[in-house]
Amino acid sequence: MSACRRMFYLVKHRSLLTYVRRNLTTWSPVGAAFNARPHRKLDLLQKNVGLFGVPELSCPAGFQVATETALKNTERLVEKACSSSPGVQTVQCFDQLSDELCKVADLADFIKVAHPDPAFREAAEKTCIEIGTVVEKLNTNVELCKSLKNLLDNPDIVAQLDPDTRRVADLFMFDFEISGIHLDDTLRKEAVALHVKLLDLNNEFLVGSHMPNRIARSAIPEHLHLNFATEGSFIQIGGLHADSPNDLVREIAYRIYLYPNAELMGCLEELLKCRYKLATLVGYESFGHRALKGTMAKTPETVMSFLQLLTDKLSDRTAKDFKMMRDTKKKLSPRHSELMPWDHPYLSGVLRAERYNIEPSLYSPYLSLGSCMEGLNNLFSQLYGVSLMSEQPRAGEVWSEDVRKLAVVHETEGLLGYIYCDFFHRQDKPHQDCHFTIRGGRQCQETGQYQLPVVVLMLSLPHPTKGAPTLLTPGMMENLFHEMGHAMHSMLGRTRYQHVTGTRCATDFAEVPSILMEYFATDYRVISQFARHYETGQPLPESMVARLCESKKVCGAADTQLQIFYAVLDQIYHSEPQNRSTTEILKDMQQKFYGLPYAPNTAWQLRFSHLIGYGAKYYSYLMSRAVASMVWKQCFIEDPLNREMGERYRREMLAHGGAKEPMLMVEGMLQRRPTIGDFVDALVSELNPNFETFIMDSEG
């Protein structure tokens, strides 16, 4: 972006860069934008600028045009990389090549799941497949690899590379190696074939893991039929009904939804075999060893040590939690008092409600979407000098009229990037909260300018009504803060190379910025600046925030132990072949790392869709939470709005994306290198009563 345009942003929005406390009944522009229905001016003469301002994408056919353009540029860049002398320009060329493909593929990856028009979704899907095929070919292009190898094998040239360039070069080489580039022709072809097969198996498992199961209506007591969807003479069950107060409904849902599907079981077994075969083919001990290279944990052995130590430290608390649940079940269901896996989510919720009055409807009037966005704007302004500016999208720029566009503006640096907020429920939209990178930030050598990052945040919130804005439950509010943590990681990470932009970093580090935001979302000093009743303007009482924080510790050890079980299962599945079925492994690990009985003829692993995107990395949620907890307690708990600490956090952890070793970023922030024991202690200490020492004791 030109300096002139950056200054225009600063002048245009100068009055908003410093947050001023307003009357409780008024909203800032960003708050007002999210608390009102969108009003788009109908201008028939306005030119369709295409999705995200990409002119070709004004119609579905434009995806093919954009793909062809990207592939032509790719051919040119491959030739350039192969013919250039080794040096910094080699890595720059590789990054530009990656950027050409990612700009189209990442955008298509989002559109194929989010666009309401099937024609756009289909066109985007074709683009993903076409570019995916090209990427596979590039990863096994011997000449292209040789150009990078010539660079990395020359110690004199490597010595002249700055740390970021060296790391990016190593990451590109890693991509070649895991594709089998170093193998002979026969083995390389086998590696490519395994890659292709895995793409199909991944997709088959992902689709199958979300498919409902069905059973004859006559097999279920008639008075329970209303709890489930019906399809002719069948009952269809598409979830666990974990929150149902009826024991039998929960049990039926659990047993039917998790009933083994032989075809899907075969798919999973084959998928795990192929992953292991590919990993060993390219030189790794197991798929887990391959997947964990470059992460904070580094090896499966470290992950298992972390999970085992955490289990040991939690054992007494977990036993107490399960005893509380058993006692509660005896009171509620004397005839069926054995504690089973389908009871855990429901009974932990009952116990929280008994101890603390945290009914979501009590909180929602204070948490309008506009007030929460205002709170985020205020927080970012105080921590980083950054403001969120609502902009009117141009014709054709967004895929649904209720999508909001935010410009992220720094008080001295100007425009940092754009966040598109696809927050509201609509038919055929995935019911999941996600962050999508549409375009990564990078320093463009060809123009001398910085390519601004563009991301989408996708939620599934209720629409505002005539009488009220969209009102969030505390869980929705925390999810919003969580996803905005990812977005700001993308905005504030000013990396030279898009290959390591923002959230393109180690999986067990990528969740740290988002989980850290959850701590801000439950700190009264932050909440008090924005949470006020949408009708009366009254602030959310501090005692209600205290109750909410304390309630999370109820059954917290058992909840954490369940996550440990999932993470262990993921590790074992991706270790060396066990010569036993995935169900036998699950049964064994459930006994050792969870404790509640295995229900015969169930296969929970067939619903474990995280095995696809997080294969061998499910532990990342726990490890990221441990790091976020340590950063919060050491750096922000005294003053969550401290600008100096916010700048340090940006400098040490957010600015690098994946351009720096993850543990070095953590070390830079904490001023020490944490151990696995430190991570475990951080998670355990969160379960202590009154961990948030500054919050008043809960009432009632």
Side-chain angles (χ1 to χ4, degrees), residues 189-207:
K189 283 178 183 173
E190 187 181 350
V192 171
L194 283 167
H195 267 294
V196 172
K197 186 176 180 180
L198 278 167
L199 286 174
D200 291 337
L201 288 169
N202 287 346
N203 189 54
E204 184 185 341
F205 183 77
L206 206 52
V207 171

Side-chain angles (χ1 to χ4, degrees), residues 6-7 10 17 384-385 409-415 643 650:
R6 284 181 187 276
M7 286 310 299
L10 291 176
L17 287 169
Y384 313 120
V409 186
H410 190 272
E411 60 191 9
T412 58
E413 298 168 35
L415 183 62
R643 177 65 178 270
R650 180 187 180 185

Side-chain angles (χ1 to χ4, degrees), residues 62 72 90 96-97 147 244 266 289 300 476 487 638 652 666 687:
K72 278 180 188 173
T90 307
Q96 194 180 344
L97 171 61
S147 68
S244 172
H289 286 86
M476 289 175 184
E638 291 300 321
E652 296 291 348
V666 175
L687 301 176

Side-chain angles (χ1 to χ4, degrees), residues 216-230 235 249:
R217 286 167 60 96
S218 57
I220 291 177
E222 192 172 342
H223 69 284
L224 297 178
H225 287 186
L226 287 173
N227 293 281
F228 306 106
T230 56
I235 293 284
V249 168

Side-chain angles (χ1 to χ4, degrees), residues 265-455:
M265 186 77 78
C267 172
L268 176 59
E269 303 274 2
E270 186 62 23
L271 186 154
L272 296 174
K273 281 179 191 171
C274 285
R275 282 182 172 177
Y276 176 75
K277 192 172 182 181
L278 180 58
T280 54
L281 189 64
V282 298
Y284 289 90
E285 212 175 303
S286 69
F287 181 83
H289 286 86
R290 177 193 133 167
L292 296 183
K293 186 174 178 180
T295 61
M296 283 196 293
K298 295 193 183 301
T299 68
E301 292 78 15
T302 302
V303 174
M304 287 302 292
S305 295
F306 167 61
L307 297 173
Q308 184 64 64
L309 184 58
L310 185 53
T311 296
D312 294 342
K313 287 282 185 85
L314 287 176
S315 61
D316 290 346
R317 296 174 193 241
T318 304
K320 286 177 185 174
D321 285 354
F322 284 145
K323 184 181 184 303
M324 282 196 301
M325 288 186 215
R326 282 190 188 93
D327 292 345
T328 302
K329 189 172 183 185
K330 280 178 187 174
K331 286 182 199 169
L332 298 174
S333 310
R335 293 170 57 192
H336 306 282
S337 59
E338 185 182 8
L339 188 64
M340 296 298 288
W342 52 80
D343 296 320
H344 179 159
Y346 173 71
L347 293 178
S348 60
V350 168
L351 285 162
R352 289 185 190 102
E354 274 183 5
R355 294 193 182 190
Y356 305 99
N357 186 11
I358 52 167
E359 168 57 42
S361 62
L362 298 175
Y363 289 82
S364 292
Y366 298 92
L367 301 173
S368 71
L369 177 57
S371 71
C372 292
M373 292 303 296
E374 197 169 282
L376 285 162
N377 186 39
N378 184 23
L379 178 63
F380 297 148
S381 177
Q382 291 180 77
L383 285 180
Y384 313 120
V386 163
S387 293
L388 306 174
M389 310 297 180
S390 180
E391 285 199 357
Q392 182 75 19
R394 295 164 293 171
E397 188 179 351
V398 295
W399 49 100
S400 179
E401 68 167 12
D402 56 14
V403 174
R404 297 343 194 243
K405 180 184 178 184
L406 295 176
V408 181
V409 186
H410 190 272
E411 60 191 9
T412 58
E413 298 168 35
L415 183 62
L416 298 181
Y418 292 102
I419 302 171
Y420 289 83
C421 300
D422 187 356
F423 283 174
F424 300 103
H425 170 79
R426 65 175 172 272
Q427 199 170 1
D428 296 331
K429 178 182 172 183
H431 289 278
Q432 57 191 74
D433 299 340
C434 322
H435 163 273
F436 292 86
T437 296
I438 303 300
R439 186 177 70 199
R442 76 179 184 102
Q443 189 62 48
C444 301
Q445 303 303 319
E446 56 274 26
T447 63
Q449 296 182 336
Y450 195 81
Q451 176 174 288
L452 296 175
V454 175
V455 304

